[in-house]
Amino acid sequence: QQQQYQQYQQQQQRMQQQAQAPPAPDQDEALDLACSAGPRAEGWARAKLYFRAIFETEGTSPLQMPSRELLVAALDGAMRELKAVEALSPQAADECGLGKLCLQLLSFATIEDTSALVQMFAGLEQLASPVMTMLLDVPWVATAQAGW
């Protein structure tokens, strides 16, 4: 009976170990808002430099709308970096969601016709929904710390 009881206990312990959920990943690790993990992280880091240059260029201010030329130059530079590492390929579909969203928003910011921009944004659920999620559900400090 002693041996049966020990076997029963061992079986219960194994079942408990199997039933335990793996530890939850750290929120920063799960979201990777900075796009610092993955095989294309270096390309995303270089693309981020173009985004930052929009407001870090001498004579610009985060309180003023940058020139269209500066926005187009940043978009072109970021796209070059991302294409070089195939960060926008179908194989990278699950990588750097915030970076892709920022890239889309930057491309929309280069559109001169504001009425077309409003219509496009209102009509594209695929864009409006992620933007609202970033604004409402993700802490702004986390977004800022990500470097975008």
Side-chain angles (χ1 to χ4, degrees):
Q1 282 184 331
Q2 179 83 15
Q3 187 178 10
Q4 286 178 336
Y5 181 73
Q6 288 175 342
Q7 287 176 347
Y8 173 78
Q9 282 184 323
Q10 289 173 349
Q11 183 181 12
Q12 290 297 318
Q13 286 176 342
R14 280 194 303 268
M15 288 174 56
Q16 286 177 342
Q17 289 172 349
Q18 290 173 354
Q20 288 179 345
D26 181 20
Q27 185 179 10
D28 292 337
E29 181 182 304
L31 294 177
D32 189 26
L33 296 177
C35 305
S36 57
R40 296 164 186 87
E42 188 175 324
W44 284 108
R46 288 192 308 262
K48 250 194 283 192
L49 295 175
Y50 286 95
F51 278 79
R52 291 181 189 167
I54 293 170
F55 299 108
E56 294 176 354
T57 301
E58 190 172 325
T60 62
S61 166
L63 303 176
Q64 294 177 334
M65 181 66 177
S67 70
R68 183 176 185 282
E69 292 78 23
L70 184 59
L71 294 175
V72 170
L75 180 62
D76 290 345
M79 289 297 290
R80 267 193 316 275
E81 296 295 342
L82 296 173
K83 285 179 181 177
V85 296
E86 298 181 352
L88 303 175
S89 68
Q91 296 84 353
D94 294 334
E95 294 178 19
C96 197
L98 180 58
K100 290 175 183 174
L101 179 62
C102 290
L103 194 63
Q104 286 179 323
L105 293 174
L106 180 58
S107 69
F108 286 162
T110 64
I111 297 174
E112 292 179 1
D113 183 4
T114 56
S115 62
L117 182 59
V118 170
Q119 288 177 347
M120 187 173 9
F121 190 79
L124 286 176
E125 172 66 24
Q126 299 94 334
L127 178 65
S129 181
V131 169
M132 294 305 292
T133 298
M134 286 308 302
L135 290 174
L136 300 174
D137 295 341
V138 177
W140 288 13
V141 171
T143 304
Q145 289 173 338
W148 294 102

